DNA sequence: CTGAAAGCGCTAACAT
DNA sequence: ATGTTAGCGCTTTCAG
């Protein structure tokens, strides 16, 4: 201290010495173990406060071979979807004294492997991943851990342990039916980010397939290379309508793009749904509160996070459980 | 194994035995230490793969007294702001092999104390907190750790180590000036969530004070008890305009509320800015892409996260450094 | 109710 | 280039 060194972080031993008790007693007090006399507790608390002692859970975790960390692997933070899922996850974890350790993959499976390795090295009590389509290398590593694995977003596939999500293919087929029911005959599709989110591709393909079955095939699908955003939605919609004026309805990969499309139409004086019908995906608040309420497929994002975290905690995850939370089609006034 | 027990997670020792080498050699291979023969590396890699070995960083961290975890304490995940900050943080951390461990406080300082304790117990290499106004108890604990502390969002105050943010009071005074310059004389303010975000209160007070100085005092401030949302913005705007028809401009606590106000006006046939001028705060994409571009104060959220993480890593954090990233007033077409 | 001893899995320091 | 030893800070087990 005198020579300018920063004070080292206090340990149990320091507290024990100052309090004049054994290390194990300090440990017991810090963990609120039962059968502790008030006198002992008092001495320990005073000493701990004096030293600004913070328990070292790294050491504790090593000894007990258990942590309060939960690995959470998400593809992106750049739209409303995954923050809401994370919010749901955190809301449950925090009630159980657990902390999320976060990995973002940017939809890159190489990065996902790194991230999973990194997170697993912290001995989390469980792991939440996005999607059912991890690489074989990732699956292998995951299954070597003795921890519950919950995969979120999708249910159409085989989970490693448990899955909580919705049926994206079914949702897209329903979208196709909806457009046809409503009398649309020249449907188009708009996506973004080169369809890196695999769920987008699945939805587009299912949408396209059902339209073809119903005899009103997709007029065009425009997949922007740019990241999904309101701005991108506006740009692509403008381009699409310019090159394909016959299009009478557009299904978007998500609401951000759809709202961009809506804004473009409003600025250009195009009537919604008179000139073109718009259908989004997700049901974010902006779309629902817009002057023309966006027709969309509502997905339970916060709930999905909560259920995923609950499954982890209840350790029901190893049962091949699939929780399909379903979606709700909100017809809005944009169709 | 035969009796149905799950296989224990493999350790260095297991790998070493299988490969017929020492534990330290396995350790060196796993950490890509220099001076390893190809023969040894090969043996170790094969054994590790066979066992599905994942390094146990808990043990490593205990030994080396250092981790690759960074504690990140945020108040909320429920609007665009903090996810963007987190995205910025993560983008820098991931490039350095660091993982964020997350704590959400819900703007509750009791919860913040718990969360900080919890996160610090994992020996993070640094901690990022929101705001400059932590309780004394929290500050005390933080200063007992020998790790860099970066506080984000605010710069008007005294940081524990370093701060990265913007001057909210100044921004609100500029907002007041802007309205007056533009000829507004009956300004109002709309906030939400009972002003739990302390920065909202600071902005409102600064806004109000400057308006008073300029001789055009605030007509009314409506603070909803509900959480901030587009929906809440619409509702409160409707109520405010009904009870205070003379109001000619509204400054909102954030863009979500302001966009709600905009949508309400569009639905009600009120002209923006003819009947009422709208000014938001944050500069989220929806507002900028809206048919009437929302006037707002652009805040650099992603950049703030990046700078905060960079400061942590560079260990410049202990220098009392204050990084004011500034804001940009975007006049839009709603004023 | 309190304490002493042992060791979790790994790696720095020191051999060889 | 590889191995041996010791110990990080805590908590489980076993004694008292």
């Amino acid at each position: 201290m005198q020579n300018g060194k920063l004070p080292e972080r206090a340990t149990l031993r320091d507290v024990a010495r100052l309090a004049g008790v054994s290390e194990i007693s300090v440990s017991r007090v810090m963990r609120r173990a039962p059968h502790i006399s008030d006198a002992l507790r008092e001495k320990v608390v005073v000493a701990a406060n004096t030293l600004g002692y913070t328990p070292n859970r790294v050491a504790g975790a090593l000894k007990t071979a258990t942590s309060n960390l939960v690995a959470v692997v998400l593809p992106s933070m750049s739209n409303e979807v995954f923050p809401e899922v994370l919010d749901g996850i955190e809301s449950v974890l925090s009630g159980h004294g657990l902390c999320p350790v976060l990995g973002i993959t940017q939809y890159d499976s190489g990065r996902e492997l790194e991230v999973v390795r990194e997170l697993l090295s912290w001995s989390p009590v469980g792991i939440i991943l996005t999607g059912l389509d991890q690489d074989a290398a990732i699956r292998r590593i995951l299954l070597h851990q003795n921890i519950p694995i919950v995969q979120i977003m999708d249910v159409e596939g085989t989970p490693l342990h448990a899955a909580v999500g919705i049926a994206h293919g079914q949702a897209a087929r329903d979208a196709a039916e909806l457009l046809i029911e409503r009398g649309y005959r020249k449907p188009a599709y708009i996506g973004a980010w080169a369809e890196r989110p695999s769920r987008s591709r699945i939805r587009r393909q299912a949408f396209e397939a059902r339209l073809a079955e119903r005899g009103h095939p997709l007029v065009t699908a425009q997949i922007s290379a740019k990241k999904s955003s309101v701005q991108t939605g506006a740009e692509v919609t403008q381009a699409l309508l310019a090159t394909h004026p016959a299009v009478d309805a557009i299904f978007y990969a998500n609401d951000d793009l759809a709202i961009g499309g809506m804004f473009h139409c409003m600025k250009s004086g195009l009537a919604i749904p008179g000139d073109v019908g718009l259908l989004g995906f997700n049901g974010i608040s902006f779309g629902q509160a817009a002057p023309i309420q966006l027709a969309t497929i509502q997905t339970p994002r916060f709930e999905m996070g909560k259920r995923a975290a609950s499954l982890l905690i209840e350790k029901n995850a190893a049962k091949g459980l699939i929780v399909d939370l379903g979606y709700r089609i909100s017809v809005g006034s944009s169709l």
Side-chain angles (χ1 to χ4, degrees), chain A residues 55-299:
Chain A
N56 184 340
R57 215 163 191 145
V58 173
L62 177 60
K63 178 64 190 174
T64 60
T66 174
S67 76
N68 71 337
L69 301 176
V70 172
V72 178
V73 183
L74 302 175
S76 160
M77 272 285 140
S78 62
N79 64 35
E80 207 169 312
V81 174
F82 293 104
E84 282 186 22
V85 172
L86 179 57
D87 202 10
I89 290 171
E90 208 279 339
S91 74
V92 170
L93 294 186
S94 68
H96 292 259
L98 299 170
C99 297
V101 197
L102 200 60
I104 308 286
T105 67
Q106 306 295 347
Y107 294 104
D108 175 324
S109 71
R111 175 112 194 84
E112 186 173 21
L113 175 58
E114 280 176 43
V115 156
V116 166
R117 275 228 172 80
E118 202 58 64
L119 298 182
L120 289 178
S121 76
W122 282 103
S123 305
V125 292
I127 182 166
I128 296 174
L129 297 141
T130 306
L132 295 170
D133 55 352
Q134 283 77 22
D135 282 356
I138 298 177
R139 290 205 304 273
R140 239 183 103 269
I141 295 177
L142 287 170
L143 292 173
H144 267 285
Q145 316 292 328
N146 270 327
I147 57 171
I149 302 166
V150 178
Q151 288 162 295
I152 56 170
M153 300 305 287
D154 295 331
V155 295
E156 296 163 315
T158 309
L160 292 163
H161 289 176
V164 186
I166 66 165
H168 288 264
Q170 186 57 51
R173 284 188 288 276
D174 284 356
E177 295 289 351
L178 176 63
L179 294 188
I180 288 170
E181 255 173 43
R182 293 264 159 163
Y184 293 100
R185 292 296 175 263
K186 297 289 180 190
Y189 177 89
I190 287 178
W193 207 352
E195 271 186 348
R196 285 174 78 181
S198 61
R199 283 162 291 283
S200 298
R201 188 172 30 74
I202 288 167
R203 291 199 299 269
R204 176 179 54 76
Q205 290 169 339
F207 180 67
E208 197 163 351
R210 176 55 54 98
L211 287 175
E213 285 170 25
R214 297 296 301 267
H216 302 290
L218 196 62
V219 174
T220 179
Q222 308 266 327
I223 315 295
S224 171
K226 291 190 193 173
K227 276 178 93 165
S228 168
S229 72
V230 184
Q231 185 61 40
T232 301
E235 289 166 9
V236 180
T237 302
Q238 176 167 38
L240 186 147
L241 293 177
T243 52
H244 300 79
V247 162
D248 59 4
I250 307 175
F251 180 38
Y252 292 84
N254 62 53
D255 280 2
D256 296 62
L257 294 169
I259 291 167
M262 178 186 288
F263 288 168
H264 164 71
C265 292
M266 289 168 116
K267 284 187 206 170
S268 315
L270 289 169
I272 302 169
D275 294 315
V276 60
L278 306 180
L279 177 59
F281 189 87
N282 271 333
I284 71 174
S285 52
F286 288 93
Q288 297 312 291
I292 299 166
Q293 191 193 358
L294 180 66
T296 192
I297 291 156
Q298 295 270 359
T299 60

Side-chain angles (χ1 to χ4, degrees), chain A residues 301-321:
Chain A
R301 301 174 296 279
F302 186 80
E303 180 66 17
M304 201 181 292
K306 288 211 307 190
R307 293 295 290 274
S310 300
L311 278 180
L312 262 199
I313 290 165
E314 296 161 15
K315 321 230 164 178
N316 286 338
K319 295 177 181 167
L321 192 61

